[in-house]
Amino acid sequence: MSENNKNTTSEKDKNQDAEKNSVRPEPVISIAASDRENTEIDIPVKAKKLRRERRKKTMNTIALSNIILMGALLAGGFSYMTLLPHETKADDENRMLTKFPKLTAKSYASGQYTEGIADYFDDTVHNRANIKEFIADNLMPLKGRKYGDGDDGAELYGSSAKKNKSMSVTTTAKPFISEVTTATTAVQETTEPATEEPAPAEGELTNNILIVNKRGITLYGGGWGTELEYASYLNAYKEKLGNVNVYSMVLPTSSSFYLPDNYKDLAHSEKEDFDSIDGALQNVMSVDAYSALMAHKDEAIYSRTDHHWQPLGAYYAAEKFALTAGVPFADLSEYETVTLPGYVGTLYMYTQSATLLNNPEDFVYYKPKAPVTVTQYDTHFQNPVVANLLLDPSSMPNSGYYMVFGSDERIVHVNTECKNGRTLVIFKDSYGNALLPMLTSSFENIYLCDIRYFELNAIDFINQVGATDLLFSMCSFSAVGVNRNSIYNNLIR
């Protein structure tokens, strides 16, 4: 290649590099005003800025309104809680409300004082009964799983004791070990297969309580071996008491009689545990209250709104016990019938169910016509005072009518006109309170003791009062639950 051609090529390369490195001016796009409607290139910046400012102003207004509203609610709530008079008693719950705590250096340092203040304001709010009713009617139905609509719907709250057939459980019961035998028994319990969730049956479940057909039903979870401990403790009493007649009358709850078929898997069978107890008793006579009550399940033998039975149920159970014990028993016609309307019991207190609140029931009890002498003692069998067999319900709230039978923390001695030389000691839970009036025609002397609050050696007490008969009467929950431990503890005091 010639020298001239090389120079020419070099100059062309330099010119091309210069063009590449030079800064090109931005293109200018000009669109006529008439064309702006059909193009998206033009951006109305000023309008966009105005919209952003309006949005910001709106959000600031909403935020300020929220602050004012929340402040008003807090101020109103504070004024309501502090300035209006505080209530002192809850008639619907049959209890006195929390008192304002006393300030001490110890309570303040431990935090109990400030916690007590919170409890006081929470428990004694003005007009609390109407507030609870509003919550029961409008807020509580929003909880839980719902099935169906309207009156035919079902509502399930909380948990339950579903049986599971696919799982085998081996439970070792802890029986009482007497001075004679040291053997223990391993008991196998096999549960039933799990089934699908129950179909709707116009019910709701809360805290293991089913509300169905305007009735509250406590769901029995089963003993799973603890029912054998109960039986072993009674066997030990019989072993120590010799010639004293010892009876076991475990009382079923409404679960055994009123649980709809499509909810059966929510509870364990009480009858199965009763049969297990009967098979383990040794020289202790079993009283079959279950069959006696089953024969009358269409009558008002259990409360719909309370976890206790009705006195009529206690009458039929007492009749079965009297037959087993071989003692006389008065017909119901020999009692004065007292009916208290508007009863709404403990199941409403536990559930706050509008269904129970809006469907009260009658509480019917029976006063023996035959005269009796009643002496009441403390739980140490001291400080005797003359008392009435039944309390006057006129001053009781409609939620506390079961209290006509008296409180639990006492020992009651009833002397009757039945001069047959038989003295009965009853160890019971609150179910057993309703039995006392029904047995005043059957024994000459009756001592009613709550096994949970009894503070003496049971064997010494039974011998001291000269008992010929000893009855353990409590509901299934007590027989297989923690209350059964009191039976053993009172044996070894």
Side-chain angles (χ1 to χ4, degrees):
M1 182 177 294
S2 66
E3 188 69 26
N4 290 334
N5 288 338
K6 289 183 179 179
N7 293 336
T8 303
T9 301
S10 176
E11 289 178 0
K12 288 182 179 180
D13 292 340
K14 289 180 180 180
N15 292 334
Q16 290 176 355
D17 292 340
E19 290 178 359
K20 290 181 180 179
N21 295 330
S22 63
V23 178
R24 295 182 180 179
E26 292 290 336
V28 178
I29 302 175
S30 177
I31 300 176
S34 61
D35 296 331
R36 288 183 180 178
E37 293 180 358
N38 301 320
T39 182
E40 297 179 356
I41 296 177
D42 183 62
I43 301 175
V45 177
K46 187 174 181 180
K48 186 175 182 180
K49 181 178 180 181
L50 290 175
R51 286 199 301 270
R52 185 165 56 245
E53 290 178 351
R54 284 197 298 267
R55 188 183 304 113
K56 182 177 180 181
K57 186 177 180 180
T58 302
M59 295 302 295
N60 288 339
T61 302
I62 294 174
L64 180 61
S65 300
N66 286 336
I67 293 173
I68 294 174
L69 177 61
M70 292 304 298
L73 289 175
L74 290 173
F78 178 80
S79 300
Y80 188 88
M81 294 286 290
T82 57
L83 301 181
L84 293 178
H86 290 263
E87 300 187 10
T88 58
K89 184 179 180 181
D91 289 338
D92 59 334
E93 298 178 23
N94 191 32
R95 68 179 179 92
M96 300 303 295
L97 300 178
T98 304
K99 295 181 179 180
F100 195 86
K102 184 178 179 181
L103 176 61
T104 64
K106 182 178 179 180
S107 65
Y108 183 80
S110 65
Q112 291 181 348
Y113 178 70
T114 52
E115 182 179 349
I117 293 177
D119 291 340
Y120 169 76
F121 282 105
D122 180 62
D123 200 34
T124 62
V125 62
H126 181 72
N127 205 25
R128 70 189 301 277
N130 289 334
I131 293 175
K132 286 176 58 182
E133 183 176 351
F134 173 81
I135 293 173
D137 287 340
N138 299 283
L139 301 184
M140 290 300 289
L142 301 178
K143 289 180 58 181
R145 294 164 288 170
K146 298 184 178 181
Y147 303 87
D149 297 316
D151 294 337
D152 295 330
E155 298 182 14
L156 293 177
Y157 301 87
S159 59
S160 60
K162 274 195 177 183
K163 294 181 286 186
N164 184 356
K165 288 181 183 172
S166 62
M167 178 177 63
S168 178
V169 179
T170 301
T171 305
T172 302
K174 184 188 71 177
F176 171 77
I177 301 176
S178 69
E179 298 171 359
V180 177
T181 177
T182 58
T184 58
T185 305
V187 181
Q188 280 205 341
E189 293 285 345
T190 302
T191 60
E192 306 219 351
T195 59
E196 295 183 358
E197 204 166 59
E202 196 179 350
E204 60 183 87
L205 175 70
T206 175
N207 299 327
N208 296 335
I209 298 170
L210 178 71
I211 311 298
V212 60
N213 300 327
K214 301 179 182 179
R215 173 187 293 276
I217 300 175
T218 52
L219 299 175
Y220 177 67
W224 306 103
T226 58
E227 75 277 8
L228 300 180
E229 290 185 29
Y230 166 84
S232 69
Y233 297 158
L234 269 60
N235 291 340
Y237 274 77
K238 176 59 181 176
E239 183 179 316
K240 289 180 176 292
L241 290 171
N243 293 328
V244 175
N245 301 314
V246 180
Y247 310 86
S248 170
M249 185 166 70
V250 183
L251 306 169
T253 65
S254 60
S255 174
S256 284
F257 310 113
Y258 306 110
L259 193 62
D261 289 341
N262 52 339
Y263 284 102
K264 289 291 187 184
D265 284 334
L266 294 180
H268 190 76
S269 168
E270 291 180 310
K271 183 64 166 62
E272 288 181 10
D273 282 352
F274 295 163
D275 292 342
S276 180
I277 290 172
D278 293 347
L281 293 175
Q282 299 175 6
N283 300 317
V284 175
M285 287 176 273
S286 175
V287 182
D288 185 9
Y290 179 92
S291 297
L293 292 166
M294 176 64 79
H296 298 276
K297 70 174 184 176
D298 293 332
E299 302 174 41
I301 57 174
Y302 283 88
S303 290
R304 290 188 296 99
T305 66
D306 197 280
H307 70 284
H308 294 103
W309 53 3
Q310 283 270 3
L312 183 61
Y315 173 82
Y316 291 126
E319 181 180 35
K320 183 65 175 180
F321 167 61
L323 180 64
T324 304
V327 293
F329 190 74
D331 186 78
L332 205 56
S333 61
E334 298 183 36
Y335 291 80
E336 175 190 347
T337 302
V338 181
T339 301
L340 303 175
Y343 182 45
V344 179
T346 56
L347 293 181
Y348 167 69
M349 181 181 72
Y350 297 148
T351 65
Q352 299 294 295
S353 168
T355 301
L356 298 182
L357 179 65
N358 297 328
N359 292 279
E361 59 185 317
D362 289 341
F363 182 83
V364 183
Y365 70 100
Y366 307 92
K367 299 171 64 174
K369 296 178 181 179
V372 295
T373 301
V374 181
T375 307
Q376 182 174 291
Y377 301 83
D378 61 24
T379 53
H380 293 278
F381 200 44
Q382 297 174 352
N383 303 313
V385 294
V386 177
N388 295 318
L389 180 65
L390 298 168
L391 301 181
D392 181 6
S394 60
S395 60
M396 296 179 181
N398 61 349
S399 61
Y401 289 157
Y402 195 79
M403 291 300 294
V404 297
F405 301 115
S407 63
D408 293 317
E409 298 182 54
R410 59 178 185 155
I411 296 173
V412 181
H413 172 215
V414 179
N415 180 258
T416 75
E417 292 188 339
C418 176
K419 304 304 179 183
N420 60 359
R422 302 280 291 270
T423 295
L424 172 67
V425 171
I426 303 176
F427 282 136
K428 54 84 181 180
D429 61 4
S430 58
Y431 261 66
N433 293 343
L435 290 171
L436 184 58
M438 307 304 180
L439 295 171
T440 53
S441 64
S442 304
F443 293 87
E444 185 170 343
N445 290 284
I446 306 172
Y447 290 88
L448 186 73
C449 313
D450 196 296
I451 197 67
R452 300 165 296 177
Y453 305 109
F454 193 73
E455 299 185 77
L456 301 169
N457 179 281
I459 302 302
D460 292 344
F461 173 80
I462 292 166
N463 290 329
Q464 178 183 346
V465 300
T468 57
D469 301 86
L470 170 63
L471 170 65
F472 289 90
S473 183
M474 57 196 69
C475 76
S476 57
F477 284 79
S478 289
V480 306
V482 293
N483 289 338
R484 76 185 187 282
N485 295 327
S486 298
I487 301 174
Y488 173 71
N489 293 337
N490 293 327
L491 182 65
I492 63 173
R493 283 185 187 275

